[in-house]
Amino acid sequence: MSSSGSGPGPVMSLPDVPSPGGLIQQQQQGQVISGGLRGGVTSSLTGGGYKHFLDIALDLTSLEPAEVLATLEQNDPFQTNHFDTLLLQQETSLKRTLTIEEIKDIFPCPRLDERITLPDARVEQKAKDFRDGKHGTFLFFQHLRKAGGTNFCSLAEKNLPKEAQPHYYCMPDMGWSGNKDAGYLHSWSNEEIITRMAKQGFRIAGNEWENFDVSRHFDLPAVFATSFRKPLDRALSQFRFECIEDRGCHIKDVHKWWEQRKDLWNVYTKTFADPPVGARNHFKGSEHSKQRREMMATAIDTLSKFHIVLSMEWLAYAAPQVKSILGFNDVSALTTRVRPHISQAIREDGQEHNSLGSASIKKASWDPKEYLDAAQYKKMSEDLALDEILTEVARRMFLERLVCEDLGGGVPI
């Protein structure tokens, strides 16, 4: 199937979006507006560009889905799509991943007051405790299905002692539940998680099938990480993985599958906002704008506190953050294609190793515009409009932490 596409919807006028510039150490009223989990300057409680980009995200959230998508495409308010286009062009031309200096030519470290990552809301002590191997500390990985989570589990397996790894895809609750459930950490109290992790000596816990509990999970003695992927690509990959390749799903029509999987509509936003049951009823309509804004504000606040926020398309560039924050040395899993249950449906597509960065990811994935008809492409895109916003937020966070020296970035990849 192929998509002929449809014309863009109305475009919203957003606040002025700053352009990335060279790193400028600024002072306002004698207070340094800087910060960084691994940087040498203490984070300020004020300043930075977090509120500016939060306002942009919330203004977008108030719109109807078609307007959201049109505005993101035409305005590129988080400046990630332009970067992605240039990155793909250069990787394809050079037939390799880029160096950090080449990355910075495309996306220089923004000024301090133009950073979504400042002020830095992450807790460095938790990351340090994990790196130091402090008893009871662990890596909490919020696994967004088909967004690079299995790669991350493989990364942990290469860097943690075998006895520190849960037996089933980094999810300790498979054993806790008597082999009934895995990746349901919202269902376990903090006390239970802390006690069981410490007793068994596990150092990673994956939460795949439930939301991140914003009311209490940050109280765990953990360093927090997650990985995003373009929402529609992720959804189509899940359909391919589960249904086309016969892993528990027998629906071969993507239209029918999507109607039955309303739980996947804006799944990123729900995961990091942990809204009450019924949130799906607020995804559209001006009368629900307030609820959407609250949901998005919570999701972005949650994401800002995660120590590592990766983008699956850019995993080849994640090594500096993984090494610096987690203390992992073997980062080969970031450029090795890893899929669970691979023996069930082996793909002979020559993409087992990622040598071209985002170009390799694109080559290995189905293109939604080619696979979906125009009407289904429009429907699924609009059903994921909030996730498109949150993904752009996540991608900008990743880029800033990649190139900005005071955030531990700017180092060889």
Side-chain angles (χ1 to χ4, degrees):
M1 292 184 286
S2 63
S3 170
S4 59
S6 57
V11 179
M12 173 189 174
S13 179
L14 292 169
D16 291 338
V17 180
S19 299
L23 177 63
I24 300 176
Q25 296 293 340
Q26 299 179 350
Q27 292 188 349
Q28 291 187 356
Q29 298 177 347
Q31 184 177 39
V32 177
I33 305 178
S34 183
L37 189 67
R38 304 310 310 281
V41 184
T42 302
S43 178
S44 167
L45 294 177
T46 60
Y50 177 83
K51 186 178 184 305
H52 173 75
F53 283 106
L54 175 63
D55 288 344
I56 289 176
L58 297 186
D59 287 346
L60 283 165
T61 302
S62 299
L63 304 176
E64 290 302 290
E67 296 176 285
V68 170
L69 299 173
T71 304
L72 284 174
E73 180 179 0
Q74 297 185 36
N75 289 9
D76 191 17
F78 300 96
Q79 299 173 325
T80 54
N81 292 325
H82 179 64
F83 168 83
D84 200 31
T85 299
L86 294 179
L87 178 67
L88 186 61
Q89 290 174 353
Q90 293 198 24
E91 288 174 339
T92 303
S93 174
L94 296 171
K95 295 182 172 56
R96 61 169 172 82
T97 56
L98 272 58
T99 66
I100 186 60
E101 294 305 322
E102 290 168 334
I103 290 285
K104 290 166 72 174
D105 285 342
I106 305 175
F107 188 89
C109 179
R111 294 170 16 143
L112 296 173
D113 59 351
E114 297 173 355
R115 306 255 203 94
I116 195 172
T117 52
L118 292 182
D120 196 332
R122 299 173 294 174
V123 179
E124 156 66 5
Q125 188 61 49
K126 290 189 178 236
K128 183 178 185 303
D129 288 345
F130 177 81
R131 291 193 303 272
D132 291 345
K134 183 177 179 180
H135 180 70
T137 62
F138 61 93
L139 168 58
F140 186 110
F141 183 69
Q142 185 63 50
H143 186 161
L144 302 174
R145 191 162 177 78
K146 304 308 297 174
T150 306
N151 286 75
F152 206 92
C153 183
S154 295
L155 181 70
E157 290 172 349
K158 289 180 178 294
N159 289 275
L160 296 175
K162 191 170 184 61
E163 62 271 16
Q165 305 168 26
H167 306 303
Y168 186 81
Y169 295 106
C170 297
M171 293 180 278
D173 54 322
M174 173 63 93
W176 303 348
S177 65
N179 296 324
K180 294 180 180 179
D181 298 308
Y184 290 84
L185 295 184
H186 197 296
S187 297
W188 297 84
S189 70
N190 276 13
E191 182 179 1
E192 288 174 315
I193 295 173
I194 292 170
T195 300
R196 289 173 180 271
M197 290 293 287
K199 181 178 180 180
Q200 294 181 277
F202 291 154
R203 303 216 65 215
I204 183 169
N207 185 42
E208 181 173 3
W209 298 105
E210 290 188 319
N211 297 339
F212 182 86
D213 192 328
V214 299
S215 70
R216 62 182 175 87
H217 276 161
F218 281 123
D219 295 330
L220 293 168
V223 57
F224 299 91
T226 192
S227 177
F228 276 69
R229 183 180 186 178
K230 291 181 180 179
L232 188 52
D233 288 359
R234 192 220 64 78
L236 192 56
S237 178
Q238 183 168 346
F239 170 70
R240 176 186 184 183
F241 182 81
E242 294 179 355
C243 303
I244 299 302
E245 296 179 352
D246 297 315
R247 293 183 178 89
C249 168
H250 304 291
I251 302 174
K252 303 301 181 182
D253 185 328
V254 70
H255 305 77
K256 295 179 180 178
W257 174 77
W258 191 243
E259 278 304 308
Q260 291 191 21
R261 294 306 305 268
K262 291 183 173 65
D263 58 305
L264 299 179
W265 297 9
N266 289 317
V267 65
Y268 294 171
T269 308
K270 291 185 295 184
T271 295
F272 291 100
D274 194 21
V277 175
R280 189 173 68 242
N281 298 324
H282 302 148
F283 289 164
K284 300 178 182 179
S286 58
E287 70 275 19
H288 300 307
S289 172
K290 180 176 181 293
Q291 291 92 335
R292 289 198 302 275
R293 289 175 67 93
E294 291 175 350
M295 204 183 315
M296 183 61 67
T298 300
I300 293 176
D301 176 70
T302 301
L303 209 57
S304 72
K305 296 173 183 175
F306 267 61
H307 297 84
I308 295 181
V309 178
L310 303 181
S311 170
M312 179 176 166
E313 292 84 2
W314 303 337
L315 280 183
Y317 301 99
Q321 294 180 52
V322 169
K323 290 179 178 179
S324 175
I325 296 172
L326 300 180
F328 288 174
N329 294 314
D330 186 343
V331 293
S332 59
L334 294 173
T335 53
T336 302
R337 186 177 178 189
V338 182
R339 293 183 294 123
H341 318 296
I342 190 170
S343 61
Q344 296 178 12
I346 297 176
R347 299 177 192 167
E348 300 291 349
D349 55 12
Q351 296 302 305
E352 297 310 309
H353 181 77
N354 179 352
S355 59
L356 295 178
S358 62
S360 282
I361 299 295
K362 184 174 180 63
K363 185 176 180 180
S365 304
W366 280 0
D367 186 339
K369 287 187 176 180
E370 294 180 0
Y371 185 83
L372 302 172
D373 60 73
Q376 187 65 11
Y377 180 88
K378 181 176 186 295
K379 173 172 175 47
M380 291 179 69
S381 296
E382 292 183 1
D383 290 337
L384 294 167
L386 296 183
D387 279 2
E388 290 286 352
I389 300 171
L390 191 61
T391 299
E392 295 311 301
V393 167
R395 282 152 66 92
R396 184 168 179 101
M397 287 179 177
F398 174 83
L399 286 178
E400 289 184 10
R401 291 166 181 166
L402 174 64
V403 301
C404 295
E405 294 180 8
D406 61 314
L407 293 176
V411 299
I413 298 170

